[in-house]
Amino acid sequence: MRAAAPAWRPDSVATAGAAPDGTRMNTVELLVHDLDAMTAYYRDAVTLDVLGQSGATATLGRGGVPIMVLRQERDLPGADPRGAGLYHTAIVFEDERRLAASLASMAQRVPQTFTGSADHLVSEAFYFTDPEGNGVELYRDRPREEWSVHPDGTVAMGIEPLDPNQFLQRWYTPEAPDDGASAAIGHVHLQVGDLASARRFYVDTLGFDITAQMDSALFVSAGGYHHHIGMNTWRSAGAGPRAASLGLGDVRILVPTRADVEALADRLRFHRVPTADDGDTLRFADPWNTRLAVSPETARL
């Protein structure tokens, strides 16, 4: 589905990394068993709009801009919770009021799916698990001028308490605006088998910058964002390539121009990563067979 670029998007500035300035996340595809139930969850509870539905596929988003694609695959087995794949899809909201409106809807409709919350210093986040076991993060970013950056360029992130009831008391109003493209995929967090391989692929090959790292997790981004892709081995240490299953279908990334897509294709060829390029979107897989698709901004899916 094609749509005009949103008027609002997560903050991004220039850095010297190989991933181009202006890189950002596009839609996330989930392979689902019960399309109706999953569509209802993301529409009625998360408060996304259904932008289109045809056969076994539903596209949801905000302001005409896609955020998630749900594709029904009844014959696939469930995802391995200890395998490589999706840890969570993170939807970022434009401001506290819009986040509070979604959080209130989740509390009213699906409170049993809430799994936690945290103040990460750069953001405030609330976590859920959808009806088929996929992790969901709903968050808002703090202004960039409030972030702390270490001398090595990494971003100070933490895990501080965040009370969802206090957040709602402060920010929720029934008339909270719900106009335009007020939400987007801010980042995707993946389960991987080991961080050394993840770093070689996402940093050395794809060109993302490391923004934070610890013994069991790695966070990378382009354009100075706190992270576009997170990776951890908390449940998946030693995992091998993914078998076909429900859960994550593909992760889609936008870069500014077709030339940026071609430059990435050159890097992937140099590193002997197989690709498929239809002249618009470049498709390839990471070491755990998680599929990625990179397109220019003008060809948003």
Side-chain angles (χ1 to χ4, degrees), residues 58-296:
T59 302
L60 299 97
R62 281 284 184 92
V65 177
I67 290 177
M68 301 193 73
V69 176
L70 306 178
R71 179 156 61 89
Q72 189 169 49
E73 295 286 354
R74 289 189 180 274
D75 296 330
L76 289 179
D80 178 0
R82 302 190 67 82
L86 184 67
Y87 186 68
H88 63 236
T89 300
I91 301 173
V92 59
F93 290 81
E94 183 175 0
D95 55 32
E96 297 94 335
R97 289 186 298 165
R98 290 176 172 87
L99 172 57
S102 181
L103 180 61
S105 175
M106 299 291 274
Q108 292 162 2
R109 296 175 180 272
V110 289
Q112 72 280 6
T113 69
F114 177 73
T115 59
S117 57
D119 182 336
H120 293 302
L121 306 183
V122 294
S123 63
E124 293 178 300
F126 302 91
Y127 297 94
F128 302 84
T129 302
D130 77 16
E132 296 194 1
N134 301 293
V136 182
E137 176 183 345
L138 308 178
Y139 76 107
R140 72 100 184 180
D141 280 328
R142 284 196 165 88
R144 179 176 292 271
E145 57 269 20
E146 296 181 13
W147 301 1
S148 295
V149 179
H150 300 301
D152 64 358
T154 58
V155 179
M157 292 189 280
I159 303 176
E160 302 295 334
L162 176 61
D163 187 319
N165 293 312
Q166 290 181 2
F167 186 89
L168 286 172
Q169 289 169 5
R170 181 176 183 185
W171 296 110
Y172 176 67
T173 57
E175 66 276 9
D178 185 19
D179 55 329
S182 56
I185 295 293
H187 63 271
V188 176
H189 199 140
L190 302 174
Q191 296 186 172
V192 298
D194 70 276
L195 293 186
S197 297
R199 177 170 179 158
R200 284 194 296 271
F201 185 79
Y202 285 95
V203 177
D204 300 341
T205 300
L206 300 191
F208 284 103
D209 298 312
I210 294 174
T211 53
Q213 55 187 326
M214 57 188 74
D215 290 342
S216 55
L218 176 69
F219 301 89
V220 303
S221 81
Y225 193 55
H226 54 74
H227 68 294
H228 286 114
I229 300 176
M231 292 151 277
N232 74 67
T233 59
W234 298 328
R235 299 184 302 202
S236 57
R242 299 173 59 203
S245 69
L246 298 176
L248 183 62
D250 61 24
V251 176
R252 304 174 186 181
I253 299 170
L254 289 172
V255 293
T257 69
R258 173 64 191 174
D260 296 317
V261 176
E262 293 170 355
L264 175 59
D266 288 341
R267 292 202 299 277
L268 290 167
R269 281 192 292 270
F270 178 81
H271 289 277
R272 299 183 180 180
V273 176
T275 64
D277 188 349
D278 62 7
D280 188 10
T281 298
L282 180 70
R283 301 180 187 277
F284 52 94
D286 77 2
W288 299 276
N289 204 31
T290 291
R291 301 194 303 271
L292 297 100
V294 179
S295 305

Side-chain angles (χ1 to χ4, degrees), residues 24-73:
R24 62 192 180 95
M25 305 310 291
N26 195 358
T27 58
V28 168
E29 178 189 59
L30 295 181
L31 306 182
V32 306
H33 178 77
D34 189 332
L35 182 63
D36 290 342
M38 290 288 278
T39 300
Y41 181 86
Y42 285 97
R43 179 193 64 215
D44 301 336
V46 180
T47 68
L48 301 183
D49 302 322
V50 176
L51 304 181
Q53 187 162 353
S54 177
T57 301
T59 302
L60 299 97
R62 281 284 184 92
V65 177
I67 290 177
M68 301 193 73
V69 176
L70 306 178
R71 179 156 61 89
Q72 189 169 49
E73 295 286 354

